[in-house]
């Protein structure tokens, strides 16, 4: 991991890859916490498509963050980004809504912002492939589906049990003092069957105004021969 990457084949599409791509963009982290982020080889088109999503997410994620570093990120880096993107700025300013939810016996409230959920899930498709490469030098075949989604607390408890070290490979990462945490597991009989779980910015709360008890905070990505029913996939 770290700065090492093997040039050659793009981790995302299998085409010849000539650039080094940070699996998670440097802009997701404060400037002092950008060393040692996983990198992989990528082709120029994938690198460019992916970085468009990263520009968007770097602006959005700190708003939804639940991590102590979200606030300084929001104050220092987001205004600079919003100044360059008037349309996104207006969408965020006009779209804020009050959100209430219940945790245990406590009622919580905050504000929510609209964001492009499909873009975030699409991003995780890149990330799953990138991490499989960075940790296990595994290139996910192009005909494999990458399913992504949110997992509610209840579903998460079930899925957690799958991470018991039975896989061929197990990986975990703590990037930027916990701003992004992940773990991944690789199946024994198929190295390209991988499963990833992400906690981003301390657990973003995904909800609408009808939020109920079981609030999704975790994001998942699964690379498999066939799409996982019920999860969006490419
Ligand atoms: Zn590519």
């Amino acid at each position: 991991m770290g700065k090492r990457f093997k040039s050659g084949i793009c981790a995302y599409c299998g085409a010849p890859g000539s650039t080094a791509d940070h699996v998670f963009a440097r802009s997701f982290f404060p400037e002092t916490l950008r060393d040692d982020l996983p990198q992989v080889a990528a082709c120029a088109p994938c690198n460019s498509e992916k970085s468009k999503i990263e520009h968007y997410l770097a602006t959005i994620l700190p708003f939804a963050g639940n991590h102590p570093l979200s606030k300084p990120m929001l104050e220092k880096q987001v205004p600079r980004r919003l100044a360059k993107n008037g349309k996104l700025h207006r969408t965020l300013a006009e779209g804020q809504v009050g959100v209430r939810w219940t945790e245990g016996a406590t009622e919580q409230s905050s504000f929510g912002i609209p964001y492009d959920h499909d873009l975030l899930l699409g991003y995780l498709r890149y990330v799953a492939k990138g991490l499989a490469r960075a940790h296990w030098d595994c290139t996910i075949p192009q005909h494999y589906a990458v399913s992504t989604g949110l997992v509610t607390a209840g579903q998460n408890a079930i899925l957690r049990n799958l991470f018991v070290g039975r896989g061929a490979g197990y990986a975990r990462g703590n990037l930027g003092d916990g701003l992004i945490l992940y773990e991944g597991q690789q199946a024994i009989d198929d190295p390209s069957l991988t499963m990833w779980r992400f906690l981003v910015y301390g657990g973003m709360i995904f909800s609408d105004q009808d939020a109920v008890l079981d609030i999704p905070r975790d994001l998942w990505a699964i690379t498999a021969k066939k799409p996982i029913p019920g999860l969006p996939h490419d």
Side-chain angles (χ1 to χ4, degrees):
M1 282 227 318
K3 302 239 181 299
R4 285 180 294 120
F5 72 98
K6 287 180 180 154
S7 64
I9 293 178
C10 173
Y12 307 118
C13 77
S18 53
T19 61
D21 180 68
H22 288 87
V23 177
F24 292 101
R26 287 162 52 80
S27 55
F28 294 173
F29 306 95
E31 278 161 27
T32 52
L33 296 172
R34 291 177 177 176
D35 295 337
D36 223 29
L37 299 172
Q39 289 183 68
V40 294
C43 70
C46 283
N47 189 264
S48 152
E49 279 304 303
K50 181 168 171 282
S51 69
K52 278 184 213 159
I53 308 179
E54 286 166 343
H55 280 295
Y56 174 76
L57 291 179
T59 309
I60 288 286
L61 291 178
F63 278 101
N66 217 4
H67 187 281
L69 285 172
S70 305
K71 195 159 176 272
M73 291 283 286
L74 197 57
E75 288 165 357
K76 272 194 189 157
Q77 302 190 28
V78 169
R80 260 193 339 235
R81 293 178 169 278
L82 284 178
K84 290 187 211 150
N85 189 337
K87 185 161 167 253
L88 180 58
H89 197 170
R90 281 191 299 280
T91 307
L92 293 176
E94 289 161 10
Q96 286 191 13
V97 289
V99 179
R100 283 174 196 287
W101 71 97
T102 311
E103 272 187 7
T106 318
E107 175 142 320
Q108 311 264 9
S109 66
S110 182
F111 71 92
I113 52 159
Y115 83 107
D116 189 335
H117 191 55
D118 291 339
L119 219 49
L120 177 63
L121 295 185
Y123 187 66
L124 293 179
R125 289 181 199 125
Y126 285 105
V127 167
K129 290 180 174 181
L131 290 178
R133 170 68 73 80
H135 283 282
W136 306 314
D137 202 19
C138 169
T139 305
I140 306 297
Q142 281 314 289
H143 63 277
Y144 270 49
V146 188
S147 301
T148 51
L150 289 167
V151 177
T152 63
Q155 293 163 330
N156 192 35
I158 298 165
L159 287 164
R160 287 274 314 135
N161 292 330
L162 299 173
F163 279 103
V164 288
R166 286 197 205 107
Y170 174 78
R172 67 193 310 170
N174 176 340
L175 306 177
D177 277 351
L179 269 172
I180 293 184
L181 300 169
Y182 65 85
E183 61 180 338
Q185 191 162 271
Q186 187 181 32
I188 290 169
D189 52 348
D190 176 2
S192 294
L193 174 54
T194 72
M195 186 166 85
W196 299 92
R197 173 174 166 259
F198 308 97
L199 191 67
V200 176
Y201 278 62
M204 296 156 67
I205 295 175
F206 301 94
S207 74
D208 53 31
Q209 284 167 292
D210 303 320
V212 287
L213 275 170
D214 204 8
I215 307 157
R217 285 174 189 266
D218 280 28
L219 293 156
W220 283 77
I222 299 168
T223 65
K225 272 187 189 137
K226 297 217 168 108
I228 307 301
L231 287 181
H233 61 87
D234 61 2

